[in-house]
Coordinates of all heavy atoms in Angstrom, one line a residue:
V554 N 129.4 96.5 62.2 CA 129.6 97.9 62.0 C 128.6 98.7 62.8 O 127.4 98.4 62.9 CB 129.4 98.3 60.5 CG1 129.5 99.8 60.3 CG2 130.4 97.6 59.6
G555 N 129.1 99.8 63.4 CA 128.2 100.7 64.1 C 128.2 100.4 65.6 O 128.4 99.3 66.1
E556 N 128.0 101.5 66.4 CA 128.0 101.5 67.8 C 126.9 102.4 68.3 O 126.7 103.5 67.7 CB 129.3 101.9 68.4 CG 129.4 101.9 69.9 CD 129.1 100.5 70.5 OE1 129.8 99.6 70.1 OE2 128.1 100.4 71.2
L557 N 126.1 101.9 69.2 CA 125.0 102.7 69.7 C 125.1 103.1 71.1 O 124.3 103.8 71.7 CB 123.7 102.0 69.4 CG 123.4 101.8 68.0 CD1 122.0 101.0 67.7 CD2 123.3 103.1 67.1
F558 N 126.1 102.5 71.8 CA 126.2 102.8 73.2 C 127.7 103.0 73.6 O 128.5 102.2 73.2 CB 125.7 101.6 74.1 CG 125.8 101.9 75.5 CD1 124.8 102.6 76.2 CD2 126.9 101.4 76.3 CE1 124.9 102.8 77.5 CE2 127.0 101.7 77.7 CZ 126.0 102.4 78.3
P559 N 128.0 104.1 74.3 CA 127.1 105.2 74.7 C 127.0 106.3 73.7 O 126.4 107.3 74.0 CB 127.9 105.6 76.0 CG 129.3 105.4 75.7 CD 129.4 104.2 74.8
V560 N 127.6 106.1 72.5 CA 127.5 107.2 71.5 C 126.8 106.6 70.3 O 127.1 105.5 69.8 CB 128.9 107.6 71.0 CG1 128.8 108.6 69.9 CG2 129.7 108.1 72.2
A561 N 125.7 107.3 69.9 CA 125.0 106.8 68.7 C 125.7 107.1 67.5 O 125.7 108.3 67.0 CB 123.6 107.4 68.7
A562 N 126.5 106.2 66.9 CA 127.2 106.4 65.7 C 127.1 105.1 64.8 O 128.0 104.3 64.8 CB 128.7 106.7 66.0
S563 N 126.0 105.0 64.1 CA 125.7 103.8 63.4 C 126.7 103.4 62.3 O 126.8 102.2 62.0 CB 124.3 103.9 62.8 OG 124.2 104.9 61.9
A564 N 127.5 104.3 61.8 CA 128.5 104.0 60.8 C 129.9 103.9 61.3 O 130.8 103.7 60.6 CB 128.4 105.1 59.7
R565 N 130.0 103.9 62.6 CA 131.4 103.9 63.2 C 132.0 102.5 63.0 O 131.4 101.5 63.2 CB 131.2 104.2 64.7 CG 132.5 104.4 65.4 CD 132.2 104.9 66.9 NE 133.4 105.3 67.5 CZ 133.5 105.8 68.7 NH1 132.3 106.0 69.4 NH2 134.6 106.2 69.2
E566 N 133.2 102.6 62.6 CA 134.0 101.4 62.4 C 134.9 101.1 63.6 O 135.3 102.1 64.3 CB 134.9 101.5 61.1 CG 134.2 101.7 59.9 CD 133.6 100.4 59.4 OE1 134.1 99.3 59.7 OE2 132.6 100.4 58.6
P567 N 135.2 99.9 63.9 CA 136.1 99.6 65.1 C 137.5 100.0 64.7 O 137.9 100.1 63.5 CB 136.0 98.0 65.2 CG 135.6 97.5 63.9 CD 134.7 98.7 63.3
V568 N 138.3 100.4 65.7 CA 139.7 100.8 65.5 C 140.5 99.6 66.0 O 140.7 99.4 67.2 CB 140.0 102.1 66.3 CG1 141.5 102.5 66.1 CG2 139.1 103.2 65.8
L569 N 141.0 98.9 65.1 CA 141.8 97.7 65.4 C 143.3 97.8 64.9 O 144.0 96.8 65.0 CB 141.2 96.4 64.9 CG 139.7 96.2 65.4 CD1 139.1 95.0 64.6 CD2 139.7 95.9 66.9
E570 N 143.6 98.9 64.3 CA 145.0 99.1 63.8 C 145.4 100.5 64.1 O 144.6 101.3 64.3 CB 145.0 98.9 62.3 CG 144.7 97.5 61.9 CD 144.8 97.3 60.3 OE1 145.0 98.3 59.6 OE2 144.5 96.2 59.9
P571 N 146.7 100.7 64.3 CA 147.8 99.8 64.1 C 147.9 98.8 65.2 O 147.6 99.1 66.4 CB 149.0 100.7 64.1 CG 148.6 101.8 64.9 CD 147.2 102.0 64.7
R572 N 148.2 97.6 64.8 CA 148.3 96.5 65.8 C 149.6 96.5 66.5 O 150.7 96.5 65.8 CB 148.1 95.2 65.1 CG 147.8 94.0 66.0 CD 147.4 92.8 65.3 NE 147.3 91.7 66.2 CZ 146.4 90.8 66.1 NH1 145.5 90.8 65.2 NH2 146.3 89.8 67.0
P573 N 149.6 96.5 67.8 CA 150.9 96.5 68.6 C 151.7 95.3 68.2 O 151.2 94.3 67.7 CB 150.5 96.5 70.0 CG 149.1 96.9 70.1 CD 148.5 96.5 68.7
G574 N 153.0 95.3 68.7 CA 153.9 94.2 68.4 C 153.6 92.9 69.1 O 153.9 91.9 68.7
S575 N 153.0 93.0 70.3 CA 152.7 91.8 71.1 C 151.3 91.6 71.3 O 150.5 92.6 71.3 CB 153.4 91.9 72.4 OG 152.7 92.7 73.3
R576 N 150.9 90.3 71.4 CA 149.5 90.0 71.7 C 149.0 90.6 73.0 O 147.9 91.0 73.2 CB 149.3 88.5 71.7 CG 149.5 87.9 70.3 CD 149.4 86.4 70.4 NE 148.1 86.0 70.9 CZ 147.4 84.9 70.6 NH1 147.9 84.1 69.7 NH2 146.3 84.6 71.2
G577 N 149.9 90.7 74.0 CA 149.6 91.2 75.3 C 149.2 92.7 75.2 O 148.2 93.1 75.9
E578 N 150.0 93.4 74.4 CA 149.6 94.9 74.3 C 148.3 95.0 73.5 O 147.5 95.9 73.8 CB 150.7 95.5 73.4 CG 152.0 95.8 74.2 CD 153.0 96.5 73.4 OE1 152.9 97.7 73.1 OE2 154.0 95.8 72.9
Y579 N 148.1 94.2 72.5 CA 146.8 94.2 71.8 C 145.7 94.0 72.7 O 144.7 94.7 72.7 CB 146.9 93.2 70.7 CG 145.8 93.3 69.6 CD1 145.6 94.4 68.9 CD2 145.0 92.2 69.4 CE1 144.6 94.5 67.9 CE2 144.0 92.2 68.4 CZ 143.8 93.4 67.7 OH 142.8 93.4 66.8
L580 N 145.8 92.9 73.5 CA 144.6 92.6 74.4 C 144.5 93.7 75.4 O 143.4 94.2 75.7 CB 145.0 91.3 75.2 CG 144.0 90.9 76.3 CD1 142.6 90.7 75.7 CD2 144.4 89.7 77.0
H581 N 145.5 94.3 75.9 CA 145.5 95.5 76.8 C 144.7 96.6 76.2 O 143.8 97.2 76.8 CB 146.9 95.9 77.2 CG 146.9 97.0 78.3 ND1 146.9 98.3 78.0 CD2 146.8 96.9 79.6 CE1 146.9 99.0 79.1 NE2 146.8 98.2 80.1
G582 N 145.0 96.9 74.9 CA 144.2 98.0 74.2 C 142.8 97.7 74.1 O 142.0 98.6 74.3
I583 N 142.5 96.5 73.8 CA 141.0 96.1 73.7 C 140.3 96.2 75.0 O 139.2 96.8 75.1 CB 140.9 94.7 73.1 CG1 141.3 94.6 71.6 CG2 139.5 94.1 73.3 CD1 141.4 93.2 71.1
L584 N 141.0 95.7 76.1 CA 140.4 95.9 77.5 C 140.3 97.3 77.8 O 139.3 97.7 78.5 CB 141.2 95.0 78.4 CG 141.1 93.5 78.2 CD1 142.0 92.8 79.2 CD2 139.7 93.0 78.3
Q585 N 141.2 98.1 77.5 CA 141.1 99.6 77.9 C 139.9 100.2 77.1 O 139.2 101.0 77.7 CB 142.4 100.3 77.4 CG 143.3 100.6 78.6 CD 144.4 101.5 78.1 OE1 144.9 101.4 77.0 NE2 144.9 102.4 79.0
G586 N 139.7 99.8 75.8 CA 138.6 100.3 75.1 C 137.3 99.9 75.7 O 136.4 100.7 75.8
I587 N 137.2 98.6 76.1 CA 136.0 98.2 76.8 C 135.7 98.9 78.1 O 134.6 99.4 78.4 CB 136.1 96.7 77.1 CG1 136.0 95.9 75.8 CG2 134.9 96.2 78.0 CD1 136.4 94.4 75.9
S588 N 136.8 99.2 78.9 CA 136.6 99.9 80.1 C 136.2 101.4 79.8 O 135.5 102.0 80.6 CB 137.8 99.8 81.0 OG 138.9 100.3 80.4
D589 N 136.7 101.9 78.7 CA 136.4 103.3 78.4 C 134.8 103.4 78.0 O 134.2 104.3 78.4 CB 137.2 103.8 77.3 CG 138.6 104.2 77.7 OD1 138.9 104.2 78.9 OD2 139.4 104.4 76.8
V590 N 134.4 102.3 77.3 CA 132.9 102.3 77.0 C 132.1 102.3 78.2 O 131.1 103.0 78.4 CB 132.6 101.2 76.0 CG1 131.1 100.9 75.9 CG2 133.2 101.4 74.6
E591 N 132.5 101.4 79.2 CA 131.8 101.3 80.5 C 131.8 102.7 81.2 O 130.8 103.2 81.6 CB 132.5 100.3 81.4 CG 131.9 100.2 82.8 CD 132.6 99.2 83.6 OE1 133.8 99.1 83.6 OE2 131.9 98.5 84.4
R592 N 132.9 103.3 81.3 CA 133.1 104.7 81.9 C 132.2 105.7 81.2 O 131.4 106.4 81.8 CB 134.5 105.1 81.9 CG 134.7 106.5 82.5 CD 136.0 107.2 82.0 NE 135.9 107.4 80.5 CZ 136.9 107.3 79.7 NH1 138.2 107.0 80.2 NH2 136.8 107.5 78.4
D593 N 132.2 105.7 79.9 CA 131.4 106.7 79.1 C 129.9 106.4 79.3 O 129.1 107.3 79.2 CB 131.9 106.7 77.7 CG 133.3 107.2 77.5 OD1 133.8 107.8 78.4 OD2 133.8 107.0 76.4
G594 N 129.6 105.1 79.4 CA 128.2 104.7 79.6 C 127.7 105.3 81.0 O 126.5 105.9 81.0
Y595 N 128.5 105.2 82.0 CA 128.1 105.7 83.3 C 128.0 107.3 83.2 O 127.1 107.8 83.8 CB 129.0 105.3 84.4 CG 128.9 103.9 84.8 CD1 129.9 103.0 84.8 CD2 127.6 103.5 85.4 CE1 129.7 101.7 85.2 CE2 127.5 102.2 85.8 CZ 128.5 101.3 85.7 OH 128.3 100.0 86.1
R596 N 128.9 107.9 82.5 CA 128.9 109.3 82.3 C 127.5 109.7 81.5 O 126.9 110.6 82.0 CB 130.0 109.8 81.5 CG 130.0 111.3 81.2 CD 131.2 111.8 80.4 NE 132.4 111.7 81.2 CZ 133.6 111.2 80.7 NH1 133.7 110.8 79.5 NH2 134.7 111.2 81.5
A597 N 127.2 109.0 80.5 CA 126.0 109.3 79.8 C 124.7 109.1 80.6 O 123.8 110.0 80.6 CB 125.8 108.4 78.6
L598 N 124.7 108.0 81.5 CA 123.6 107.9 82.4 C 123.5 109.0 83.4 O 122.4 109.5 83.7 CB 123.7 106.5 83.1 CG 123.5 105.3 82.3 CD1 123.9 104.0 83.0 CD2 122.1 105.2 81.7
G599 N 124.6 109.5 83.9 CA 124.6 110.6 84.8 C 124.1 111.8 84.1 O 123.3 112.6 84.7
D600 N 124.6 112.1 82.9 CA 124.1 113.3 82.1 C 122.6 113.2 81.9 O 122.0 114.3 81.7 CB 124.8 113.4 80.8 CG 126.3 113.7 81.0 OD1 126.7 114.1 82.1 OD2 127.0 113.6 80.0
L601 N 122.0 112.0 81.8 CA 120.6 111.9 81.6 C 119.7 111.9 82.9 O 118.6 111.9 82.8 CB 120.3 110.6 80.9 CG 120.8 110.5 79.4 CD1 120.7 109.1 78.9 CD2 120.0 111.4 78.5
G602 N 120.5 112.1 84.0 CA 119.7 112.3 85.3 C 119.7 111.1 86.2 O 118.8 111.1 87.0
S603 N 120.5 110.1 86.0 CA 120.4 108.9 86.9 C 120.7 109.4 88.3 O 121.4 110.3 88.5 CB 121.4 107.8 86.4 OG 122.7 108.3 86.6
D604 N 120.2 108.6 89.2 CA 120.3 108.9 90.7 C 120.8 107.7 91.4 O 120.0 106.7 91.4 CB 119.0 109.4 91.2 CG 119.2 109.9 92.6 OD1 120.3 110.3 93.1 OD2 118.1 109.9 93.4
P605 N 122.0 107.7 91.8 CA 123.0 108.7 91.8 C 123.6 109.0 90.4 O 123.5 108.1 89.6 CB 124.1 108.2 92.7 CG 124.0 106.7 92.7 CD 122.6 106.4 92.5
A606 N 124.2 110.1 90.2 CA 124.7 110.5 88.9 C 125.9 109.7 88.5 O 126.2 109.5 87.3 CB 125.1 112.0 88.9
R607 N 126.6 109.1 89.5 CA 127.7 108.2 89.2 C 127.8 107.2 90.3 O 127.5 107.4 91.4 CB 129.0 109.0 89.1 CG 129.3 109.8 90.3 CD 130.5 110.7 90.1 NE 131.0 111.2 91.4 CZ 131.9 112.1 91.6 NH1 132.5 112.6 90.5 NH2 132.2 112.5 92.8
P608 N 128.2 105.9 89.9 CA 128.2 104.9 90.9 C 129.4 105.0 91.8 O 130.4 105.4 91.4 CB 128.3 103.6 90.0 CG 129.0 104.1 88.8 CD 128.6 105.5 88.6
A609 N 129.1 104.7 93.1 CA 130.2 104.7 94.1 C 130.9 103.3 94.0 O 132.1 103.2 94.2 CB 129.6 104.9 95.5
V610 N 130.1 102.3 93.7 CA 130.7 100.9 93.6 C 130.1 100.2 92.4 O 128.8 100.3 92.1 CB 130.3 100.1 94.9 CG1 130.8 98.7 94.7 CG2 130.9 100.7 96.1
V611 N 130.9 99.6 91.6 CA 130.4 98.7 90.5 C 130.8 97.3 90.8 O 131.9 97.0 91.1 CB 131.2 99.2 89.2 CG1 130.8 98.2 88.0 CG2 130.9 100.6 88.8
L612 N 129.8 96.5 90.9 CA 130.0 95.1 91.2 C 130.1 94.3 89.9 O 129.4 94.5 88.9 CB 128.8 94.5 91.9 CG 128.5 95.1 93.3 CD1 127.3 94.6 93.9 CD2 129.8 95.0 94.2
S613 N 131.2 93.5 89.8 CA 131.5 92.7 88.6 C 131.1 91.3 88.7 O 131.4 90.6 89.7 CB 133.0 92.8 88.4 OG 133.4 92.4 87.1
C614 N 130.4 90.8 87.7 CA 130.0 89.4 87.6 C 130.6 88.8 86.3 O 131.2 89.5 85.5 CB 128.5 89.3 87.5 SG 127.6 90.0 88.8
G615 N 130.5 87.5 86.2 CA 131.0 86.8 85.0 C 132.5 86.4 85.2 O 133.1 86.7 86.2
G616 N 133.1 85.9 84.1 CA 134.4 85.4 84.1 C 135.5 86.5 84.4 O 136.5 86.2 85.1
G617 N 135.3 87.7 83.9 CA 136.2 88.8 84.1 C 136.3 89.2 85.6 O 137.3 89.7 86.0
A618 N 135.3 88.8 86.4 CA 135.3 89.2 87.8 C 136.4 88.4 88.5 O 136.8 88.8 89.6 CB 134.0 88.9 88.4
R619 N 136.9 87.4 88.0 CA 138.0 86.6 88.6 C 139.4 87.2 88.4 O 140.4 86.8 89.0 CB 138.0 85.1 88.1 CG 136.8 84.4 88.5 CD 136.9 82.9 88.2 NE 137.1 82.7 86.7 CZ 136.1 82.3 85.9 NH1 134.9 82.2 86.3 NH2 136.4 82.1 84.6
N620 N 139.5 88.2 87.5 CA 140.7 88.8 87.2 C 141.0 90.2 87.9 O 140.4 91.2 87.5 CB 140.8 89.0 85.7 CG 142.1 89.4 85.1 OD1 142.8 90.2 85.7 ND2 142.5 88.9 84.0
D621 N 141.8 90.1 88.9 CA 142.0 91.3 89.7 C 142.6 92.5 88.9 O 142.3 93.6 89.1 CB 143.0 91.1 90.9 CG 142.3 90.2 91.9 OD1 141.1 90.3 92.1 OD2 143.0 89.5 92.6
M622 N 143.5 92.2 87.9 CA 144.0 93.2 87.0 C 143.0 93.9 86.2 O 143.0 95.1 86.0 CB 145.1 92.6 86.1 CG 145.9 93.6 85.3 SD 147.1 92.9 84.3 CE 148.2 92.2 85.5
W623 N 142.0 93.1 85.7 CA 140.9 93.7 84.9 C 140.1 94.6 85.8 O 139.7 95.7 85.5 CB 140.1 92.6 84.3 CG 138.8 92.9 83.7 CD1 137.5 92.4 84.1 CD2 138.5 93.8 82.7 NE1 136.5 92.9 83.2 CE2 137.1 93.8 82.4 CE3 139.3 94.7 81.9 CZ2 136.5 94.6 81.4 CZ3 138.7 95.5 81.0 CH2 137.3 95.4 80.7
L624 N 139.7 94.2 87.0 CA 139.0 95.0 88.0 C 139.7 96.3 88.3 O 139.1 97.4 88.3 CB 138.7 94.2 89.3 CG 137.9 93.0 89.2 CD1 137.8 92.3 90.5 CD2 136.5 93.3 88.5
R625 N 141.1 96.3 88.5 CA 141.8 97.5 88.8 C 141.9 98.4 87.5 O 141.8 99.6 87.7 CB 143.3 97.2 89.2 CG 143.4 96.4 90.5 CD 142.9 97.0 91.7 NE 141.4 97.2 91.9 CZ 140.5 96.4 92.3 NH1 140.9 95.1 92.7 NH2 139.2 96.6 92.4
M626 N 142.0 97.9 86.3 CA 142.0 98.7 85.1 C 140.7 99.4 85.0 O 140.7 100.6 84.7 CB 142.2 97.8 83.8 CG 142.1 98.6 82.6 SD 142.1 97.6 81.1 CE 143.8 97.1 81.0
R627 N 139.6 98.8 85.2 CA 138.3 99.4 85.1 C 138.1 100.5 86.2 O 137.6 101.6 85.9 CB 137.2 98.3 85.3 CG 137.1 97.4 84.1 CD 136.2 96.2 84.4 NE 134.9 96.6 84.7 CZ 134.0 95.9 85.5 NH1 134.5 94.8 86.0 NH2 132.8 96.4 85.8
E628 N 138.7 100.2 87.4 CA 138.6 101.2 88.4 C 139.4 102.4 88.0 O 139.0 103.6 88.3 CB 139.1 100.6 89.7 CG 138.8 101.3 91.0 CD 139.1 100.5 92.2 OE1 140.3 100.5 92.6 OE2 138.1 99.9 92.7
R629 N 140.6 102.2 87.5 CA 141.5 103.4 87.1 C 140.8 104.2 85.9 O 140.8 105.4 86.0 CB 142.8 102.9 86.6 CG 143.8 102.6 87.6 CD 145.2 102.4 87.1 NE 145.2 101.5 85.9 CZ 145.4 100.1 86.0 NH1 145.4 99.5 87.2 NH2 145.4 99.4 84.9
R630 N 140.2 103.6 85.0 CA 139.5 104.3 83.9 C 138.2 105.0 84.5 O 137.9 106.1 84.0 CB 139.0 103.3 82.8 CG 140.2 102.5 82.2 CD 141.3 103.3 81.7 NE 141.1 103.8 80.4 CZ 142.0 104.5 79.7 NH1 143.2 104.7 80.2 NH2 141.7 104.9 78.5
M631 N 137.6 104.5 85.4 CA 136.4 105.2 86.1 C 137.0 106.4 86.8 O 136.2 107.4 86.9 CB 135.8 104.3 87.1 CG 135.0 103.1 86.5 SD 133.5 103.7 85.7 CE 132.5 104.1 87.2
G632 N 138.2 106.5 87.2 CA 138.8 107.7 87.8 C 138.7 108.9 86.9 O 138.6 110.0 87.4
V633 N 138.7 108.7 85.6 CA 138.6 109.8 84.7 C 137.2 110.4 84.9 O 137.0 111.7 84.8 CB 138.8 109.3 83.2 CG1 138.6 110.5 82.2 CG2 140.3 108.9 83.1
L634 N 136.2 109.6 85.0 CA 134.8 110.1 85.2 C 134.7 110.9 86.5 O 134.1 111.9 86.5 CB 133.9 108.9 85.2 CG 132.4 109.1 85.6 CD1 131.7 110.0 84.6 CD2 131.6 107.8 85.7
Y635 N 135.4 110.5 87.5 CA 135.3 111.1 88.8 C 136.2 112.3 88.9 O 136.2 113.1 89.8 CB 135.6 110.1 89.9 CG 134.6 109.1 90.2 CD1 134.4 108.0 89.4 CD2 133.8 109.3 91.3 CE1 133.4 107.1 89.7 CE2 132.8 108.3 91.6 CZ 132.6 107.3 90.8 OH 131.6 106.4 91.1
G636 N 137.2 112.4 88.0 CA 138.2 113.5 88.0 C 139.2 113.2 89.2 O 139.9 114.1 89.7
D637 N 139.3 111.9 89.6 CA 140.2 111.6 90.6 C 141.5 110.9 90.2 O 142.2 110.3 90.9 CB 139.5 110.6 91.6 CG 138.2 111.2 92.3 OD1 138.2 112.4 92.3 OD2 137.4 110.4 92.6
G638 N 141.8 111.1 88.9 CA 143.1 110.5 88.4 C 142.9 109.0 88.4 O 142.0 108.4 87.8
D639 N 143.8 108.3 89.2 CA 143.8 106.9 89.2 C 142.8 106.3 90.1 O 142.7 105.1 90.2 CB 145.2 106.4 89.6 CG 146.2 106.5 88.4 OD1 145.8 106.7 87.3 OD2 147.4 106.5 88.7
R640 N 142.1 107.1 90.9 CA 141.1 106.5 91.8 C 139.8 107.1 91.4 O 139.5 108.2 91.2 CB 141.4 107.0 93.3 CG 142.5 106.2 93.9 CD 142.3 104.8 94.0 NE 141.3 104.5 95.0 CZ 140.7 103.3 95.1 NH1 141.1 102.3 94.4 NH2 139.8 103.1 96.0
G641 N 138.8 106.2 91.3 CA 137.5 106.6 91.0 C 136.5 105.8 91.8 O 136.8 105.5 92.9
G642 N 135.4 105.4 91.1 CA 134.5 104.5 91.8 C 135.1 103.2 92.1 O 136.0 102.8 91.3
E643 N 134.8 102.5 93.1 CA 135.3 101.2 93.3 C 134.7 100.1 92.4 O 133.5 100.1 92.3 CB 135.0 100.8 94.8 CG 135.6 99.5 95.2 CD 135.3 99.1 96.7 OE1 134.6 99.9 97.4 OE2 135.7 98.1 97.1
V644 N 135.5 99.3 91.8 CA 135.1 98.2 91.1 C 135.5 96.9 91.8 O 136.7 96.7 92.0 CB 135.7 98.2 89.6 CG1 135.2 97.0 88.8 CG2 135.3 99.4 88.9
R645 N 134.5 96.1 92.2 CA 134.9 94.9 93.0 C 134.0 93.7 92.5 O 133.0 93.9 91.9 CB 134.8 95.1 94.5 CG 133.4 95.4 94.9 CD 133.4 95.5 96.5 NE 132.0 95.7 96.9 CZ 131.6 96.5 97.8 NH1 132.4 97.5 98.2 NH2 130.3 96.6 98.1
R646 N 134.5 92.6 92.9 CA 133.9 91.3 92.6 C 132.6 91.2 93.4 O 132.5 91.5 94.6 CB 134.8 90.2 93.0 CG 134.5 88.9 92.5 CD 135.7 87.9 92.9 NE 136.9 88.2 92.2 CZ 138.0 88.7 92.7 NH1 138.0 89.0 94.0 NH2 139.1 89.0 92.0
A647 N 131.5 90.8 92.7 CA 130.2 90.6 93.4 C 130.4 89.3 94.3 O 131.2 88.5 94.0 CB 129.1 90.4 92.4
D648 N 129.5 89.2 95.3 CA 129.5 88.0 96.1 C 129.2 86.8 95.2 O 129.8 85.7 95.5 CB 128.4 88.1 97.2 CG 128.8 89.1 98.3 OD1 130.0 89.5 98.4 OD2 127.9 89.7 98.9
N649 N 128.3 86.9 94.3 CA 128.0 85.8 93.3 C 128.5 86.3 92.0 O 127.9 87.3 91.4 CB 126.6 85.6 93.4 CG 126.2 84.4 92.5 OD1 126.8 84.1 91.4 ND2 125.2 83.7 92.9
T650 N 129.4 85.6 91.3 CA 130.0 86.1 90.1 C 129.5 85.4 88.9 O 130.0 85.6 87.8 CB 131.5 85.9 90.1 OG1 131.9 84.6 90.3 CG2 132.2 86.8 91.1
E651 N 128.4 84.6 89.0 CA 127.8 84.0 87.8 C 127.3 85.1 86.9 O 126.7 86.1 87.4 CB 126.6 83.1 88.3 CG 127.0 81.9 89.0 CD 127.9 80.9 88.2 OE1 127.6 80.8 87.0 OE2 128.9 80.5 88.8
A652 N 127.5 84.9 85.6 CA 127.2 85.9 84.6 C 125.7 86.3 84.7 O 125.3 87.5 84.5 CB 127.5 85.5 83.2
S653 N 124.8 85.4 85.0 CA 123.4 85.7 85.0 C 122.9 86.4 86.3 O 121.8 86.9 86.4 CB 122.6 84.4 84.9 OG 122.9 83.5 85.9
Y654 N 123.8 86.5 87.3 CA 123.5 87.1 88.6 C 123.1 88.5 88.5 O 122.1 89.0 89.0 CB 124.6 86.9 89.5 CG 124.3 87.4 90.9 CD1 123.4 86.8 91.7 CD2 125.0 88.5 91.5 CE1 123.1 87.3 93.0 CE2 124.8 88.9 92.7 CZ 123.8 88.3 93.5 OH 123.6 88.8 94.8
G655 N 123.9 89.3 87.7 CA 123.6 90.7 87.5 C 122.3 91.0 86.8 O 121.5 91.8 87.2
A656 N 121.9 90.2 85.8 CA 120.6 90.3 85.2 C 119.5 90.0 86.2 O 118.4 90.6 86.2 CB 120.6 89.4 84.0
A657 N 119.7 89.0 87.0 CA 118.7 88.6 88.0 C 118.5 89.7 89.0 O 117.4 90.0 89.4 CB 119.1 87.3 88.7
L658 N 119.6 90.4 89.4 CA 119.5 91.5 90.4 C 118.6 92.6 89.7 O 117.8 93.2 90.4 CB 120.9 92.0 90.8 CG 121.6 91.2 91.7 CD1 123.0 91.8 92.0 CD2 120.9 91.0 93.0
L659 N 118.9 92.9 88.4 CA 118.2 94.0 87.8 C 116.7 93.6 87.6 O 115.8 94.5 87.9 CB 118.8 94.2 86.4 CG 120.1 94.9 86.4 CD1 120.7 95.0 84.9 CD2 120.0 96.3 86.9
A660 N 116.4 92.4 87.3 CA 115.1 91.9 87.2 C 114.3 92.0 88.6 O 113.2 92.5 88.7 CB 115.0 90.5 86.7
A661 N 115.0 91.6 89.6 CA 114.4 91.6 91.0 C 114.1 93.1 91.4 O 113.1 93.4 92.0 CB 115.3 91.0 92.0
A662 N 115.1 94.0 91.1 CA 114.9 95.4 91.4 C 113.7 96.0 90.8 O 113.1 97.0 91.3 CB 116.2 96.2 91.1
S663 N 113.3 95.5 89.6 CA 112.2 96.1 88.9 C 110.9 95.8 89.6 O 109.8 96.4 89.3 CB 112.1 95.6 87.4 OG 111.7 94.2 87.4
F664 N 110.8 94.9 90.6 CA 109.6 94.5 91.3 C 109.5 95.2 92.6 O 108.5 95.2 93.3 CB 109.6 93.0 91.6 CG 109.4 92.2 90.3 CD1 110.5 91.5 89.8 CD2 108.2 92.2 89.6 CE1 110.3 90.7 88.6 CE2 108.0 91.5 88.5 CZ 109.1 90.7 88.0
E665 N 110.5 96.0 93.0 CA 110.5 96.8 94.2 C 109.6 98.0 94.2 O 109.3 98.6 93.2 CB 111.9 97.1 94.6 CG 112.7 96.0 95.0 CD 114.2 96.4 95.4 OE1 114.4 97.6 95.5 OE2 115.0 95.4 95.7

């Protein structure tokens, strides 16, 4: 129970119903929700003064990076942040898609 990112709502319950008729539609809704949280997170970071205020490119690591449909869905949802409709910041597969790679990049950047 509760969600703290990107909205602090500690009593917020997940919305899992009404459940669509097919498993595919259900999965699609979950993935849309995840991509909306990502988009809203970038919006919150921009509102807090991140530089740049919005990413031009989002590099994807982990198992989901192998799924082109997932990358395009995230890119379309980012379009809302940019006000560009179906086109927003580019979401693409990182050169190295191991899940730990992104964490390693962030750690390395902290030493610069």
